[in-house]
Amino acid sequence: MKVLILGGSFNPVHVGHLIMADEARAQFDYDLVVLVPSLRPPHKAMESDPGPERRLVMLRLAVEGDRRMAVDDCELARGGVSYTIDTIRDIGARCCPGERPGLLIGDDLMPDFASWREPEAIAREADIVCAHRLSAERLPFPYPHRYADNSLVPISSSLVRERIASGGAFRYLLPAQVRDYVVEHGLYGLR
């Protein structure tokens, strides 16, 4: 089985995440995208975090019923800081033994990739797929990779959180089940 991993804080998961994942899956013929919520990302602070359990629930709601998408809570179960190399090794061993999993990263993460834990090992142990998040141009990246021809969807979790907290329009930025969960639980300073 060809597996593509997409990790992140998913705080909250939004349609931009799902569009990017599905387009990369289809373009590179992956059977499954595994979405992995981080417990503690090493390179950014978690703002307005409703907690890892709620982010996990929202992620599961977002892909419920889609056999091409799955959620794996290995980073939450592992505890501590969430490192991509550990996740690649874990999911690779469980989901696609003997095969290299794919790793989907947005071009917003490419400039800092060299500062990740064991970037060379990541490049050896996973097939890196870069996706457009910031620019329609192909940005330089010194590691072996393929670039997805995905749609540029200018949505970020921080934009969604800001819209929710300010009473702005956020209804169609989230999958319907996630939006309903945010409203039901009054997350992100919902007014």
Side-chain angles (χ1 to χ4, degrees), residues 143-162:
Y143 299 89
H145 67 284
R146 295 180 289 174
Y147 230 114
D149 293 321
N150 63 296
S151 305
L152 189 60
V153 181
I155 301 172
S156 66
S157 294
S158 58
L159 170 72
V160 173
R161 291 192 308 270
E162 289 166 11

Side-chain angles (χ1 to χ4, degrees), residues 32-65:
L32 183 68
V33 176
V34 178
L35 302 160
V36 183
S38 58
L39 180 62
R40 288 189 11 231
H43 294 288
K44 69 177 179 180
M46 293 287 287
E47 297 178 26
S48 305
D49 184 14
E53 296 80 15
R54 284 190 163 162
R55 289 186 287 111
L56 178 64
V57 167
M58 287 187 280
L59 203 49
R60 287 182 171 151
L61 288 169
V63 300
E64 190 173 59

Side-chain angles (χ1 to χ4, degrees), residues 81-104:
V81 177
S82 302
Y83 292 110
T84 300
I85 188 62
D86 298 333
T87 300
I88 289 167
R89 290 172 176 157
D90 181 6
I91 291 177
R94 287 186 291 113
C95 299
C96 51
E99 301 282 330
R100 284 165 48 110
L103 175 67
L104 180 59

Side-chain angles (χ1 to χ4, degrees), residues 2-24:
K2 283 185 68 177
V3 172
L4 180 64
I5 300 167
L6 174 59
S9 57
F10 299 108
N11 186 29
V13 59
H14 54 72
V15 296
H17 291 126
L18 302 175
I19 292 167
M20 180 179 75
D22 194 43
E23 288 182 351

Side-chain angles (χ1 to χ4, degrees), residues 105-121:
I105 65 170
D107 60 11
D108 55 325
L109 301 178
M110 291 165 51
D112 294 326
F113 185 82
S115 70
W116 292 17
R117 177 174 277 186
E118 300 183 54
E120 291 81 11

Side-chain angles (χ1 to χ4, degrees), residues 120-157:
E120 291 81 11
I122 293 170
R124 274 193 317 273
E125 297 180 34
D127 294 321
I128 299 173
V129 175
C130 299
H132 300 283
R133 294 262 337 256
L134 298 176
S135 169
E137 302 297 318
R138 291 181 179 223
L139 304 179
F141 189 61
Y143 299 89
H145 67 284
R146 295 180 289 174
Y147 230 114
D149 293 321
N150 63 296
S151 305
L152 189 60
V153 181
I155 301 172
S156 66
S157 294

